[in-house]
Amino acid sequence: MGETQVTAQEGRSTVGPSPIAAEVAPRTADAPSAPPPAPGKTGWQARIRSLRMPGRPRLWFEILLIAVSYWLYSLVRNAVPEQKAAALRNADWIWSAEKTLGLAFEESVNHAVNSVTWLIVSMNYYYATLHFVVTIGVLVWLFRRHPGRYAATRLVLFATTAVALLGYYLYPLAPPRLMNGANFIDTVLVHETWGSMASGNFKNMSNQYAAMPSMHIGWSLWCGLTIFALASVPWARVLGLLYPTLTLVVIVATANHFWLDAVGGMACLAFGYAVSRVWYGSLPHRLPKRVPGAAQGRLTGLRAARLPRPASEPDPKPETGAEPGAGPEAEAEAERTAAGARRS
């Protein structure tokens, strides 16, 4: 059964070994194959490996992800108990620690900048807008110009923000402008501008005692380092470094943060980079700029005839109907069949 085959050749019948038996025989002679992997284990490993490989980002998914993530961030941040008494105690401790270090300069900066109306008003609007505008702009730039690095860099931002929420819960902190007995100026109220969600008409929309860590510093430093590492023109790299530096001046001058809050934001960002490094096996800027295999994917659907054929590959003869690799008898028979069809 299945061990012989009969081949018709010019009216004669010959008996030979079946190709099925010939193919199976060497396999059975080999050592027995390894047992199949446990069900589901290989599938999960492959799935995890695929998630750890940078892929081409999808626009609709990224817009939805960022919108939902920011909504959850705002919801969780504002749901954290304000714990006003603890927040004020922590602010007094931070201010005392900075005085001990000889680095309690926030009040001096706050009063000096507040004396220049146009400058402090500009800083109020800077604080309110660029925190979101620049961050979204960098995400869009990464999506368009560095798709292979987008997911890893986005993970840094998300991990940074997630650990900041833990800080808001564990260490409530009042900003300098809300301290008891301090001489800080709430620049938003004094100049009747808007620059803080915790001042004026917006104070009931945001947790006023979530100053540690500063995500203005965490996000701006993420933007600055990303631009510095990936931008190709020198002036853009310089601007990348100036942006978090100016943000530090703004958060201090407007009395929204202590400089130690900025240190907390930097620590959160370091955690974010560590998470991305562990997951992707490399820092974001060291990953390929483009998604591996994306160029080959664009060739899908093209006719094979348009691509150059290697010299070592036999050229099929579609006009005769013969298959590549067939014997001379089969080719001659195909040619006779084609000729008869043309005569008819």
Side-chain angles (χ1 to χ4, degrees):
M1 296 294 292
E3 296 184 355
T4 61
Q5 66 174 348
V6 179
T7 305
Q9 221 175 50
E10 298 182 357
R12 297 191 302 268
S13 297
T14 59
V15 179
S18 169
I20 299 177
E23 183 178 345
V24 173
R27 293 184 181 178
T28 56
D30 296 339
S33 58
K41 184 177 180 180
T42 302
W44 277 110
Q45 291 176 343
R47 178 61 176 167
I48 292 175
R49 282 197 301 270
S50 67
L51 290 175
R52 296 180 66 182
M53 292 295 294
R56 179 171 294 277
R58 292 167 292 181
L59 180 59
W60 67 268
F61 177 78
E62 295 302 325
I63 293 175
L64 181 63
L65 178 64
I66 292 172
V68 172
S69 299
Y70 184 73
W71 175 75
L72 288 174
Y73 165 75
S74 301
L75 184 66
V76 173
R77 182 180 187 272
N78 297 334
V80 172
E82 289 193 352
Q83 302 174 354
K84 180 177 179 180
L88 291 173
R89 285 196 304 269
N90 290 336
D92 290 338
W93 186 91
I94 290 284
W95 188 231
S96 175
E98 290 186 354
K99 287 181 178 179
T100 302
L101 295 172
L103 296 173
F105 52 78
E106 290 92 340
E107 186 176 305
S108 299
V109 174
N110 175 238
H111 283 260
V113 178
N114 184 71
S115 64
V116 184
T117 303
W118 68 266
L119 181 58
I120 194 62
V121 169
S122 299
M123 287 189 174
N124 286 339
Y125 289 119
Y126 178 110
Y127 186 89
T129 59
L130 293 192
H131 179 53
F132 305 102
V133 173
V134 177
T135 303
I136 294 174
V138 172
L139 284 170
V140 172
W141 174 63
L142 285 170
F143 183 90
R144 292 177 57 86
R145 299 299 181 88
H146 299 268
R149 298 162 178 157
Y150 175 86
T153 314
R154 183 198 61 199
L155 179 59
V156 175
L157 183 64
F158 279 34
T160 299
T161 306
V163 75
L165 291 174
L166 185 63
Y168 298 148
Y169 184 84
L170 296 178
Y171 195 79
L173 179 67
R177 57 186 174 75
L178 293 181
M179 290 179 63
N180 292 326
N183 194 27
F184 287 95
I185 300 171
D186 191 332
T187 59
V188 172
L189 293 179
V190 169
H191 298 279
E192 298 182 351
T193 58
W194 56 279
S196 171
M197 291 294 289
S199 292
N201 296 328
F202 297 105
K203 62 183 179 181
N204 294 324
M205 298 174 58
S206 178
N207 183 1
Q208 299 186 65
Y209 302 105
M212 172 68 82
S214 169
M215 280 298 94
H216 273 76
I217 291 300
W219 288 13
S220 66
L221 189 57
W222 173 86
C223 293
L225 292 178
T226 300
I227 294 172
F228 179 78
L230 301 180
S232 57
V233 291
W235 62 265
R237 302 180 71 187
V238 172
L239 287 179
L241 295 181
L242 287 177
Y243 174 53
T245 304
L246 183 56
T247 301
L248 176 61
V249 175
V250 168
I251 67 172
V252 170
T254 56
N256 281 295
H257 289 281
F258 298 99
W259 67 264
L260 280 177
D261 300 344
V263 175
M266 295 176 189
C268 291
L269 183 64
F271 172 81
Y273 273 108
V275 171
S276 181
R277 172 67 175 81
V278 170
W279 184 253
Y280 287 101
S282 177
L283 291 174
H285 69 279
R286 294 180 179 174
L287 294 171
K289 180 177 180 178
R290 302 292 177 183
V291 178
Q296 292 85 340
R298 289 195 295 268
L299 297 178
T300 304
L302 295 179
R303 293 181 181 272
R306 296 181 184 176
L307 302 178
R309 183 178 300 280
S312 59
E313 184 176 336
D315 187 15
K317 299 179 179 179
E319 69 276 4
T320 64
E323 296 182 359
E329 295 86 0
E331 292 183 2
E333 180 65 25
E335 289 177 358
R336 287 194 295 271
T337 304
R342 285 194 295 268
R343 285 195 298 271
S344 61

